[in-house]
Amino acid sequence: MKIIDLRSDTVTKPTPEMRRAMAEAEVGDDVYGEDPTVNRLEALAAEKMGKEAALFVPSGSMGNQLALMVHCQRSEEVVCDSESHIFHYEMAAAAVLSGVQLYTVPGLHGGEAEELIAAHIRRSSPHLPVTRLVCLENTLNRGGGSVMPRERMAGVYRLVKEHGLALHLDGARIFNAALALGCEAADLACHADSVMFCLSKGLGAPVGSLLAGERGFIEKARRYRKLLGGGMRQAGVLAAAGLLALANTEHLAEDHDKARVLAAGLAAMGFATDPGQVETNMVMLDLGQAPFTTEDFLAQLAKEGVLAGSGRRHVVRFVTHLDVSMADIGEALSRIKKTVDILS
Ligand SMILES: *Cc1c(COP(=O)(O)O)cnc(C)c1O
């Protein structure tokens, strides 16, 4: 039985073409700035984001945390959505590495973003931390891959600048967001001082993310990357795969189609999943009303050869990606149906 792995878009394996490019990559010592393939990748990433410079990092988490380290001082505060990745999935690194506090705001990603952020910027007082940074996430992972429109980002950025703050964009899936919005990634990144995006998710590279921003910002981030142990040597073998991943981002639209088909199939089974809510490559299935637990569902589904992840309480998350075809989605739906029949 073929396993259909819908846990995450991180599970994609490098294509034969990528493996070939990795094997043949021209390399040098990147800590000396001498890896030509890494240098090419950083230049391309900066160009795609419309920023002066970019830095290749081993993971998206490191990219986000470097941004916090450069933007903030100890005891300062970062305003972010209460569902954000930097809050839930980065091991409290903001506290450990930067000594900052995350001021988590429910609904910040939504239509009230400006009002909510304005309400959470601290007034100057000896009792209060100093607000330094706002972090947006587009697409919002725990928000089911939902997209923040350009105008909203622009409004937030204007507000942030009026208050003399900085804005970091966790754009792990910025290319998914751009496709869904019908714009370029740079049209989103222009509303942020710094942006991180992942090569290792929907773009299909095995390893790596990039942090982009102004030249001086990236120089500081490069020093902190070394501090964190992220100075890699002949990293061109990884960057070579990244260059291929970054050369073509249009195929992500197929992942969005697959997600919509999956959501429609779930809706047809009677689940409350609304295909109209699916904006990118994620489908959230809320089992709060189901006669079985999320854990039992995931375990039985795995026995049927479909792997899914869990998100918020009672919520199962399916993520479409390069290594599942439209036919696999059809097969996954029939296995989900079988799972529900067994459990009900
Ligand atoms: C995956 C992801 C990251 C970074 O993850 P790594 O596993 O560290 O590469 C950051 N933000 C969001 C929204 C993500 O989905």
Side-chain angles (χ1 to χ4, degrees), residues 59-61 64 85 90 137 141 170 172-173 196 198 201 209:
S59 70
S61 300
N64 279 340
H85 193 281
E90 298 187 16
E137 187 178 312
N141 183 338
D170 177 346
R173 295 185 180 81
M196 182 284 290
C198 295
K201 297 196 168 153
S209 295

Side-chain angles (χ1 to χ4, degrees), residues 1-2 4 6 261-269 271 297 300-306 318 325-343:
M1 179 170 57
K2 183 190 173 187
I4 302 170
L6 296 166
V261 168
L262 180 61
L266 292 171
M269 272 177 231
F271 289 113
F297 176 80
Q300 183 61 39
L301 188 61
K303 283 188 202 153
E304 302 300 328
V306 176
F318 299 97
S325 64
M326 194 58 99
D328 291 335
I329 296 298
E331 176 61 25
L333 279 166
S334 58
R335 294 182 193 177
I336 291 167
K337 176 86 175 60
K338 187 169 168 207
T339 299
V340 171
D341 290 345
I342 291 172
L343 292 174

Side-chain angles (χ1 to χ4, degrees), residues 95-116:
V96 176
L97 300 172
S98 297
V100 298
Q101 173 164 278
L102 300 180
Y103 201 171
T104 59
V105 183
L108 182 144
H109 180 75
E112 309 291 303
E114 272 183 72
E115 295 81 346
L116 285 168

Side-chain angles (χ1 to χ4, degrees), residues 3-8 271 283-287 290 292-319 335-336 339-340 343:
I3 303 292
I4 302 170
D5 193 344
L6 296 166
R7 286 172 300 170
S8 174
F271 289 113
V283 179
M284 301 307 220
L285 173 59
D286 191 330
L287 294 178
F292 42 79
T293 68
T294 309
E295 291 69 33
D296 288 347
F297 176 80
L298 287 173
Q300 183 61 39
L301 188 61
K303 283 188 202 153
E304 302 300 328
V306 176
L307 306 181
S310 51
R312 285 186 267 183
R313 218 165 112 75
H314 304 308
V315 174
V316 169
R317 188 187 76 161
F318 299 97
V319 186
R335 294 182 193 177
I336 291 167
T339 299
V340 171
L343 292 174

Side-chain angles (χ1 to χ4, degrees), residues 52 59 71-72 121 191 202:
E52 285 177 4
S59 70
H71 284 301
C72 305
I121 295 173
H191 304 302

Side-chain angles (χ1 to χ4, degrees), residues 28-163:
D29 190 326
D30 180 54
V31 175
Y32 291 106
E34 293 172 2
D35 190 301
T37 310
V38 171
N39 291 343
R40 269 169 53 217
L41 176 63
E42 291 182 345
L44 179 64
E47 185 193 316
K48 293 251 181 198
M49 294 299 129
K51 299 292 182 203
E52 285 177 4
L55 180 70
F56 185 46
V57 289
S59 70
S61 300
M62 189 186 285
N64 279 340
Q65 293 305 323
L66 289 174
L68 298 192
M69 289 172 84
V70 177
H71 284 301
C72 305
Q73 300 289 319
R74 291 170 71 84
S75 145
E76 290 180 339
E77 200 165 54
V78 178
V79 179
C80 61
D81 192 284
S82 58
E83 296 297 342
S84 59
H85 193 281
I86 57 164
F87 176 53
H88 287 280
Y89 300 127
E90 298 187 16
M91 311 299 296
V96 176
L97 300 172
S98 297
V100 298
Q101 173 164 278
L102 300 180
Y103 201 171
T104 59
V105 183
L108 182 144
H109 180 75
E112 309 291 303
E114 272 183 72
E115 295 81 346
L116 285 168
I117 291 167
H120 288 81
I121 295 173
R122 307 275 191 179
R123 64 188 162 80
S124 177
S125 155
H127 301 289
L128 302 174
V130 173
T131 309
R132 178 61 59 211
L133 181 71
V134 171
C135 183
L136 298 180
E137 187 178 312
N138 207 5
T139 66
L140 186 66
N141 183 338
R142 276 173 67 99
S146 57
V147 170
M148 182 181 280
R150 290 165 72 178
E151 312 70 53
R152 193 179 305 158
M153 285 194 68
V156 168
Y157 195 46
R158 221 175 298 121
L159 173 76
V160 159
K161 288 296 134 186
E162 276 164 20
H163 288 268

